[in-house]
């Protein structure tokens, strides 16, 4: 073990030593609105300037002229918690809210090039678009000598540069009546769009003296459109940007495409300088205006030469930077290689030590295995002896159960008949009739179980006999299936009976009662384990087997949960149960197999977990010489109760009333749920769930005041359900009462370890249940009063989960006291709960609603400020989140018994 520890430490040290020493001090996010040559130049300047500052990481994302993309980019940077955000807004109105959100969360925001419709930003860097519009207007006046027609192609509608440049232009030209702006079209800053708009203008008006586009790309697009109309020499083209480079603004002036353009500086280096001043707490200008200038044929050549020289120098700088990065990469690779060699040597040494140790361990293990072999042989002999004893014990138990079953039949019969007579009494109230029906139904269930045990015992003693009679199996199956139609409708299960050959004769000699019980047993299991909206298909067909003779084949297939390979091989074993969550006697399928084999048939099962189960029954098609006079028998009440036992009655679920305590009943037995509901519905709102999984979901959805839960249930048992209820934030405070037929102390201890608050054994007394439940509710109310008095959110809570919940809720209130728009939905979202869940949870723990707690916290903060500061009542009002001083004064007086003014006077 020491060798392993030493090896881990050495590996970790090597990895840490090989890590780069580069440390990121500041992360800057850049959200560009467009992807064009002007933005590329700015981005290159930003990245290049950032290299001059140590530990600055820049990430650039481009929205490509799409508001949604840019909003998503800015939210990405907010979630990433960048140290500073640089934004070039696509459209001011659309982007303003998300920029303000970043600003409110404490992220410095530098707006570049374009502005937003708010002053909630840290700094602005860019040229004055209004002034550049005025300069263009003055140039047009001079160029056209005060007379002519002008077409304006604006940028994207809604962007501040487009609006400001247009305003500057119109403010200059409106003072000169000889200049007329014939049209103003939106070119969306794109060359292709500007060309299309120019084509549309030419269809109605070709008499244009000058085209002004708000950037060079749109001006070039207008020129190309005019050239197609052979009108390019009859008008002048003016743009903005003056970018150097191939086919950009400056070159187009030299080539005679544009008459003039105006420098609109990118200023990427200046943007980074302002950003670093902000991050390093140095003084900075909130509005940094970049200078502009006119470029025409008189200075275009000189400017091109200067920019070519600058581009050449930039290229050299870039190459030097790449070389430095290459050298650093080589150094890092060599360092990593060195450390890797050291680690390999250490691993080799450790491996050698492990091999030596393994050799000695192997020798010791061989000696230990020899001793264990002798013990295993002794244990094998003991297991054989125990197996014989278990077989004898099982036989004795079965004899006992048989004898007890005989004793059960007499009292059950004496109970069943009086109950049937009472049900015929018309003077009974509806509630009395309902209770008697529950008794009647369960008496017959007990009789069915008793008869099942007796039949199984007869089969084991070879005393079970068949009473054969000729019966049309197809007709009988149709009649038996009719009993399941109601259940299929209630559980929303698609149930069908298919006969492969309607012309086939299905007359055969069988024991009708036993075949009925086989069919009912198979269908009962199918309905029990098939979920809602599932499918159960019964298929009847004939076949001829190799050993001779015709057989009727009955196939029952469902789309239920399925059975694993481990369990399917034992499915017909007596008393075999898959797990405790699949309740039953364990002899139903064993008895069905016995009945089938008595008929000389065969029953098999095939299943796939998660997809369903298929039972196949093959019965020989033989006919007796003297058929029974009564071929078709009516289903008996003992079989009908099998269907009734499985019916899961869906009741219309009530929405919990906030003025009435809510109880959740979780039990897989619909009769138990109905009975408990009948006891509680007068005083409480009652909701139900058929298993622990559904109960957990409803508890989290409705947050009831108490939960009554059965222990043994399918899907999720009561113990697991209770454990999850007590660990979930929404439900940890809810008292849980467990119902169980188990009476052993060990089982009760297991329930209390899962967090149960109370335990009641079945069968239970209704008065005891009501008193226990009332005590639980009263105790919980006393806890609510204790934790709710004087809004003592700082007191200890009932559990660690609830204490953490209350502490987190208190912190959220304190952090957001100044936010007057703070709502229960906002608090719930931050706590990970819905509005209803948060309300019921806080109400249950403190006896106050969330809004009341927020208001009280604000009033206490205000009282503290009144006592310890010289601020005015109005200042304190807005600081603690109230929207008006008058409402604050009203609330303050209601809570403290005096107005803030009276308090200040009393304080002197």
């Amino acid at each position: 073990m020491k060798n392993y520890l030493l090896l881990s430490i050495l590996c970790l040290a090597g990895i840490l030593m090989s890590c780069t020493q580069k440390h990121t001090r500041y992360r800057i996010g850049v959200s560009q609105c467009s992807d064009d040559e002007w933005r590329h130049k700015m981005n290159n300047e930003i990245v290049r300037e950032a290299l001059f500052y140590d530990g600055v990481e820049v990430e650039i994302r481009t929205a490509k002229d799409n508001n949604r993309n840019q909003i998503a980019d800015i939210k990405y940077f907010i979630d990433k918690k960048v140290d500073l955000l640089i934004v070039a807004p696509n459209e001011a109105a659309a982007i303003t809210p998300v920029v303000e959100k970043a600003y409110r969360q404490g992220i410095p925001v530098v707006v570049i090039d374009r502005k937003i419709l708010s002053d909630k930003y840290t700094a602005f860097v860019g040229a004055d678009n209004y002034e550049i519009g005025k300069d263009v207007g003055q140039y047009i006046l001079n160029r056209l000598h005060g007379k002519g027609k002008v077409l304006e192609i604006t940028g994207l509608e809604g962007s501040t540069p487009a609006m400001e440049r247009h305003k500057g232009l119109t403010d200059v030209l409106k003072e000169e009546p000889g200049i007329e702006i014939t049209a103003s079209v939106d070119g969306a800053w794109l060359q292709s769009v500007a060309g299309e708009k120019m084509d549309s203008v030419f269809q109605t008006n070709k008499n244009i003296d000058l085209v002004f586009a708000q950037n060079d790309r749109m001006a070039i697009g207008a020129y190309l459109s005019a050239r197609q109309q052979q009108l390019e020499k009859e008008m002048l083209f003016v743009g903005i940007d003056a970018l150097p480079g191939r086919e950009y603004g400056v070159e187009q002036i030299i080539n005679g495409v544009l008459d003039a353009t105006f420098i609109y500086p990118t200023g990427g280096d200046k943007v980074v300088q302002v950003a670093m001043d902000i991050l390093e707490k140095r003084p900075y200008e909130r509005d940094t205006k970049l200078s502009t200038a006119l470029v025409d044929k008189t200075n275009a050549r000189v400017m091109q030469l200067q920019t070519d020289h600058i581009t050449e120098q930039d290229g050299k700088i870039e190459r030097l930077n790449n070389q430095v990065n290459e050298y650093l990469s080589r150094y890092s690779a060599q360092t990593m290689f060195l450390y890797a060699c050291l680690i390999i040597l250490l691993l080799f040494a450790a491996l050698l030590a492990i091999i030596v140790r393994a050799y000695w361990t192997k020798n010791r293990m061989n000696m230990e295995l020899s001793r264990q072999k002798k013990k295993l042989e002794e244990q094998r002999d003991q297991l054989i002896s125990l197996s014989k004893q278990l077989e004898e014990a099982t036989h004795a138990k079965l004899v006992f159960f048989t004898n007890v079953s005989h004793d059960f039949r007499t009292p059950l019969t004496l109970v069943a008949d009086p109950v049937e007579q009472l049900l015929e009494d018309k003077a009974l109230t509806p509630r009395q009739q309902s209770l008697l029906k529950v008794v009647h139904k369960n008496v017959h269930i007990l009789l069915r179980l008793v008869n099942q045990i007796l039949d199984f015992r007869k089969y084991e003693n070879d005393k079970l006999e068949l009473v054969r009679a000729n019966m049309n199996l197809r007709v009988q199956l149709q009649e038996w299936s009719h009993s399941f139609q109601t259940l299929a409708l209630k559980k929303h299960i698609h149930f069908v009976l298919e006969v492969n050959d309607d012309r086939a004769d299905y007359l055969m000699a069988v024991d009708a009662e036993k075949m009925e019980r086989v069919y009912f047993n198979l269908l009962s299991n199918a309905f029990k384990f098939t979920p809602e909206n599932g499918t159960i298909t019964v298929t009847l067909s004939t076949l001829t087997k190799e050993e001779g003779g015709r057989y009727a084949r009955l196939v029952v297939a469902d789309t239920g949960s399925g059975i694993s390979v481990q369990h399917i091989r034992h499915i017909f074993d007596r008393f075999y149960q898959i797990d405790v969550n699949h309740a039953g006697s364990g002899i139903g399928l064993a008895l069905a197999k016995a009945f089938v084999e008595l008929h000389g048939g065969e029953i098999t099962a095939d299943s796939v977990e998660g997809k369903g189960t298929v039972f196949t029954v093959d019965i020989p098609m033989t006919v007796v010489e003297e058929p029974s006079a009564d071929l078709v028998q009516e289903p008996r009440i003992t079989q009908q109760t099998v269907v009734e036992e499985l019916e899961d009655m869906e009741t219309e679920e009530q929405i919990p009333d906030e003025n009435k305590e809510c109880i959740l009943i979780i039990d897989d037995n619909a009769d138990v749920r109905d009975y408990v509901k009948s006891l509680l519905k007068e005083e409480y709102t009652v909701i139900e769930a058929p298993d622990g999984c559904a109960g957990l979901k409803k508890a989290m959805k409705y947050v009831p005041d108490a939960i009554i839960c059965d222990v043994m249930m399918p899907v999720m048992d009561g113990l697991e359900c209770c454990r999850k209820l007590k660990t979930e934030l929404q439900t940890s405070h809810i008292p849980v009462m467990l119902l169980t037929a188990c009476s052993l102390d060990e089982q009760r201890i297991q329930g209390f370890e899962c967090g149960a608050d109370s335990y009641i054994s079945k069968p239970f007394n209704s008065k005891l249940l009501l008193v226990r439940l009332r005590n639980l509710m009263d105790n919980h109310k006393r806890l609510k009063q204790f934790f709710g008095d004087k809004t003592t959110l700082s007191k200890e809570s009932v559990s660690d989960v609830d204490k953490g919940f209350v502490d987190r809720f208190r912190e959220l209130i304190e952090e957001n006291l100044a936010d007057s728009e703070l709502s229960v939905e906002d608090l719930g979202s931050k706590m990970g709960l819905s509005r209803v869940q948060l309300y019921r949870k806080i109400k249950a723990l403190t006896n106050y609603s969330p809004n009341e707690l927020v208001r009280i916290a604000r009033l206490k903060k205000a009282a503290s400020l009144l006592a310890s500061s010289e601020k005015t009542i109005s200042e304190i009002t807005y600081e603690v989140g109230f929207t008006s001083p008058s409402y604050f004064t009203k609330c303050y007086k209601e809570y403290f018994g005096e107005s803030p003014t009276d308090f200040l006077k009393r304080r002197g």
Side-chain angles (χ1 to χ4, degrees), residues 44 76 98 303 365 529 601:
N44 291 336
Y76 163 80
V98 71
M303 183 174 178
M365 290 295 295
F529 298 110

Side-chain angles (χ1 to χ4, degrees), residues 47 56 63 65 131 139 226 233 339 437 461 514 530 615 628 652 715 749 765:
V47 173
V56 176
D65 302 304
E131 289 298 327
Y139 176 80
K233 294 183 180 179
Y339 289 139
K437 286 179 180 178
N461 293 333
K514 292 178 175 54
T530 299
F615 285 93
S628 173
E652 183 177 354
V715 184
I749 291 171
N765 183 284

Side-chain angles (χ1 to χ4, degrees), residues 13-121:
I15 293 172
L16 291 175
M17 291 176 65
S18 64
C19 289
T20 177
Q21 300 299 319
K22 187 176 181 180
H23 175 65
T24 300
R25 292 190 304 140
Y26 301 115
R27 290 172 298 172
I28 298 176
V30 181
S31 175
Q32 288 285 14
C33 58
S34 302
D35 186 19
D36 53 47
E37 61 276 2
W38 192 87
R39 300 289 168 185
H40 291 169
K41 185 172 184 297
M42 175 186 281
N43 293 342
N44 291 336
E45 292 172 351
I46 289 173
V47 173
R48 190 183 303 115
E49 185 68 19
L51 294 174
F52 293 100
Y53 299 93
D54 182 42
V56 176
E57 177 185 324
V58 177
E59 182 177 356
I60 301 174
R61 297 174 76 92
T62 301
K64 296 184 179 179
D65 302 304
N66 186 291
N67 290 331
R68 290 185 178 179
N69 291 347
Q70 187 162 35
I71 290 171
D73 291 344
I74 295 174
K75 288 182 178 179
Y76 163 80
F77 287 129
I78 293 174
D79 294 339
K80 199 174 179 180
K81 293 181 171 52
V82 296
D83 298 293
L84 184 136
L85 180 62
I86 299 173
V87 180
N90 188 48
E91 290 188 36
I95 305 304
T96 296
V98 71
V99 173
E100 289 180 337
K101 178 182 178 182
Y103 184 78
R104 285 196 303 270
Q105 293 192 11
I107 299 175
V109 179
V110 178
V111 179
I112 59 174
D113 177 29
R114 308 175 180 184
K115 293 186 177 180
I116 60 174
L117 302 180
S118 169
D119 61 351
K120 287 183 171 56
Y121 58 85

